[in-house]
Structures are given as structure tokens and as C-alpha cells.
Amino acid sequence: MSKTDTDTSQDRDELGAAGSQLSTAPQEEQTSLPGLGVIGWARWFWRQLTSMRVALLLLLLLSLGAIPGSLIPQTGADASKVEDFRAAHKTLAPVYDKLGLFHVYSSVWFSAIYILLFVSLIGCIVPRTWQFVGQLRGRPPGAPKRLTRLPAHTAWRTTEDPERVREAALALLRKRRFRAHVVGDAVAAEKGYLRELGNLVFHIALIVLLVAFASGQLYKSDGTKLMVEGDGFSNALPMYDDFKSGSLFQPDDLVPFSFNLKDFKGTYELTGPNRGTARTFQAKITYNKGAYGKETTTTIKVNEPLKIDDSKVYLVSHGYAPVITVRDGKGKVVYRDAVPLLPLDGNVTSQGVVKVMDGYRDANGKKEQLGIKAFFLPTYGGAGMEIASAFPALLNPVLNLEPYHGDLGVDSGLPQSVYQLDKSHMKDYKDAKGAQLRDNLKPGETMTLPNGAGSITFEKDVKEWAGFEIVQEPGGGWALTGALAAIFGLAASLFIQRRRVWVRAVRGADGVTVVEMAGLGRSESAKVPEELGDLAGILYDQAPGAPDPDDDSAATPDPQVVPAEGAEK
């Protein structure tokens, strides 16, 4: 055996407990086949599952598994896009179905990775936590026999008594926030426990994030509601235009509240290169929390939602709702309402449908249904600008109407969009020239239907509508807490170094006290020698050096910290 191998073995034997347990990280053991039997295989599987290597691998797989959920349409997010994808990819869609790629986050394989990662983190953290608690309850280990074997060390001779030196060293180390105590002829001190605490906090925060993510997916709800000025909303399932939720969500989980849209206001740049750009979008509402809550007035703006317990009400869209009045052949009002129209461009060029389903009779008293296609321009630009609005605000509003009569198909039992018109059983009206009846109306103007069939009036009142998204995510606060804790825990584990310092003071054969100081860190760093040099300089001032036996000088120079190799020269 070479001298180097012998020295390495001696270093390991001499350090003993002094160099152990600077970390609570589990030691990677050599993989070996388990013994025969179910218990042996179970123990081997558990050790592999709770190893840091497998935890990192599962975290990587979870990240990779989330990629299809971002690139492929998901049933829970938008079922219509999934159907469009199926229609466009006849061969690929069945493969995606078998792999669960249309519902990634609720698929078996994604759930398996998620649960295994959860178990792996818990199995890794629990023993490390108990080990760390044991270290906190214990004391720093005593000094090894040969301090010169440590990575950083220094020594000098002094005329002070060993007890006096140890007392000064103990006071100095405690003042520097070391956990210190006297063990035999040396002072043992340790610092940097927050590194391991930060490591544990980081891993616990990952578990909190996983739990928050799971609860948010299982108990979440997300719905939308379009409201015209003056409309009200109560947070109940029948009130939503569209609603989706997690698999464990119950209707009773909805936060009880209601609100009314009093006014919507949007302002735009009138001049300059940014003409037409939105400046403000805000909805003034009054809301009540619970069945008997006090009415409160507030304003919802873009990215400034209304928060009520676990629910958030976001302002997500807006448009115009011209008020339209329809009269039958006898002049009786059969329809009068604000009709929300959907924007088509940035200047809020809008379109929609007016459906008169009941109460209408033509000039002969025959019952019919009316369907009126509406095309709205908030700012009509004149001849040649009939296709699109010139500005998003109501500067020169014009409503283009195209009426039909017959059967809307709403009595067939088949669902249909309120913004689309099924003309398969409808007939158009003809004007005096025999062309399809179609006309532009300004506020207050009326379109007269032929043959005494009635009239359609565009009222002077043009209301605005606002689209709201009501989101309820129970795990949102926990997710934020876990994310912040993970950041601080990771920072602590990266920037705080755990280290130990020993100060030995013994009386030599010539009666002069020999002081030895040494430091040991979890990893190689310049911080340990620098800190040891600083401590040694302060202690040297309290226990100044004594002259060497073969030196006539009054004192030795200040102690210098040297690496371990220098001690062997």
C-alpha cells in the first residue's frame, strides 16, 4: 500500500465524527440485487424510489409529461378545439385517445408519475427531517486528534493558560453565532444549520406545490358570463354561459355571492399613431357577499379582479348591445331588448342574431318566428366603409339588419348558438326591387317589413356589455406559499455553508500553551479559511504569541491559515 493510501485511510479514521453529518442528504449506496422474498424486493424498491436520483428523474418526467398538455387541445379546457382536432386528424386522433393526450393531467400515466414523485419526496424528506432534528438537539462533535489533517488550520504558542484560551475561544465563537461547547481540551463549534433547513424547506415546498396543484385541479371551477349593463348575476351553475370544473368539484363548493353590472366604460386614443388603442376598460358593479351581505360598490379593471374568498371575478371582454324593438303586423311590440353582438376586430365591428321566437304574427295573423342578422359598426366611415368600423368608440353608430321569417328550429330540441342563425327553414324578405331586404339604420331609425309584416327599430339607446370569468382555485394561496418557500429554501441551501471550527489549547512540555485552530466545511470553499483566519486573528490578540525556544524575538508573527499540505512539509 502506498503512503498516499495510508494517509487517506488515517485521515478518515482520525476525523471520525468530526467530519460526519455535515449534511442530511441520504448517502447513495451501491445498487445490489435484493435477497429472495417479497420483503427483500419491497425494501429494494423503496430504497430506489426514495433516492435523490429517482426523485430528479420523476421530476424530469413530470415536466416532459406536461408538454403535450400545452401543445395539444385539452378536453377540460376547450372541448370544441378537441373536436376540431379530431376532424382534421383522422389517423392521429385515435392514437392520442389511447395515450390520453386529450386529457393529459387526468390521464393514468401522468397521475402515476405525479403520485410516485409525491411518495418519493415524502420518503426522502421524513428521515432527513428526523436526522436534522437530532443534529439540532445534539452538540458539535469533539476535535479530531490531529487538527493539521483538516483543510484549513493554524497554530501558535502563547503564555496564556489553556483554560483562559478556551474560555476566550468559547466566548468569541458564541459571539459569532456558532453553537459552541468545550469538549476535553478543545472547543468545538458549528455554524450554518440554515443550509440544511433551507434544503428541507425546499423539498417540503415541492410537496406543498404538488398538493396545491392537485387540489386546484380537482376542486377548481371556471365559468364565463356575458352581462349587459343593468344585468345581474348570482354565483350558481344555471347562471353561467359556460362552466367547467374539476372531478371532485360539487355545486355547493361555489362561493355564495352576486353582483350587478351598473356601467361599463371604455376609453380610446383619439389621435396620434396609437389612435384606437384602448386606454381604460372598467366595469362598475355592486356586489353582495352571501345571501344577506351588505351591498358594496367597486370597479373591476383588466388584471384587477374582484376577490371574494376563494373566487376571483376577472373582466375579460366587452362589446356593444344595441337596443332593438320588433313590432308585428298590427304594431304590437313582440320583442324589445339589448342584443349583445360579438366583436370581430379591434375596432369592435360586431355581429349577432336577433331571434323572435314567440308572439309574432304577420299581417294575416299567421304565427311565425323572426330571425334578424345584425351587423354593427360603432363608427361608420361612410360610403366604401360599410364592412368595418373606423373606430372602436360610439362616434357614428350604424346597425345593418337582414331579416328572415319562418321556423328558427328552436322547437326541435337540438341546441343551437344564440349568435348564429339557421336559415334552412327561413325565408328572406324582398324589397321593392325584388332583392333581399337589407338596410343600415342609425339610432332612432326604423326598418319597415314588406306587406305589412311589421317593423324593426334601432333605438337610440346603445348599451355596452362586459364578459366576466369567475375562477375558483382553492389551492392558489398554498401554491404561492410553496413557491416562495421553495425560492428562499433554495437560496439558503446554495448560499449558506455549513462549517465547523475547533480550538485546542494544551500546555506543552516546556510549559508554554500551544493553540491549534482548524476548520472544516461541507464543501471546498474559500470562506472557511477566511473565516478561520479572522477568528484566529481575534483570538491571537487575546492570547498573544510567545517566543519560540530558538528565537530571541519577543513574539511570533500573527498566525496564518495554511492548507493541510503545508503541515506536512
Side-chain angles (χ1 to χ4, degrees), residues 476-550:
W478 285 103
L480 177 61
T481 302
L484 294 176
I487 293 174
F488 286 111
L490 183 62
S493 64
L494 291 177
F495 298 109
I496 298 176
Q497 184 180 15
R498 190 169 173 184
R499 62 265 191 204
R500 289 171 178 164
V501 173
W502 293 274
V503 181
R504 174 177 285 139
V506 295
R507 194 175 300 278
D510 55 357
V512 179
T513 300
V514 178
V515 181
E516 293 181 288
M517 294 185 66
L520 178 66
R522 176 180 173 182
S523 58
E524 293 184 4
S525 172
K527 186 174 183 178
V528 174
E530 291 176 0
E531 187 173 36
L532 185 66
D534 182 38
L535 293 171
I538 298 175
L539 186 60
Y540 184 84
D541 292 338
Q542 301 180 34
D548 291 331
D550 54 351

Side-chain angles (χ1 to χ4, degrees), residues 79-93:
S80 61
K81 287 187 177 181
V82 175
E83 295 303 323
D84 294 340
F85 188 92
R86 294 181 195 273
H89 303 83
K90 299 292 185 180
T91 304
L92 197 58

Side-chain angles (χ1 to χ4, degrees), residues 353-510:
V353 175
V354 181
K355 295 182 180 182
V356 182
M357 295 177 286
D358 298 307
Y360 173 78
R361 293 176 182 269
D362 62 11
N364 300 322
K366 180 183 177 181
K367 290 184 177 181
E368 279 190 316
Q369 294 177 332
L370 297 183
I372 307 168
K373 296 183 66 176
F375 192 78
F376 182 70
L377 281 68
T379 301
Y380 179 64
M385 295 289 292
E386 296 91 350
I387 299 178
S389 174
F391 195 76
L394 292 172
L395 301 182
N396 184 24
V398 167
L399 180 65
N400 180 275
L401 298 179
E402 184 180 314
Y404 295 83
H405 64 102
D407 183 8
L408 291 170
V410 294
D411 299 327
S412 63
L414 298 176
Q416 59 177 246
S417 173
V418 296
Y419 301 104
Q420 295 179 349
L421 179 63
D422 181 6
K423 297 186 293 183
S424 57
H425 300 285
M426 304 290 288
K427 295 180 181 180
D428 56 0
Y429 288 98
K430 302 295 183 179
D431 59 13
K433 298 180 180 179
Q436 179 180 348
L437 180 62
R438 192 173 189 175
D439 197 6
N440 289 336
L441 302 179
K442 291 188 176 182
E445 295 183 345
T446 299
M447 170 191 285
T448 301
L449 300 178
N451 302 321
S455 64
I456 306 171
T457 302
F458 175 25
E459 303 292 347
K460 294 183 178 181
D461 184 18
V462 179
K463 295 185 177 182
E464 297 190 53
W465 60 262
F468 297 95
E469 182 178 11
I470 297 92
V471 180
Q472 188 168 322
E473 294 178 335
W478 285 103
L480 177 61
T481 302
L484 294 176
I487 293 174
F488 286 111
L490 183 62
S493 64
L494 291 177
F495 298 109
I496 298 176
Q497 184 180 15
R498 190 169 173 184
R499 62 265 191 204
R500 289 171 178 164
V501 173
W502 293 274
V503 181
R504 174 177 285 139
V506 295
R507 194 175 300 278
D510 55 357

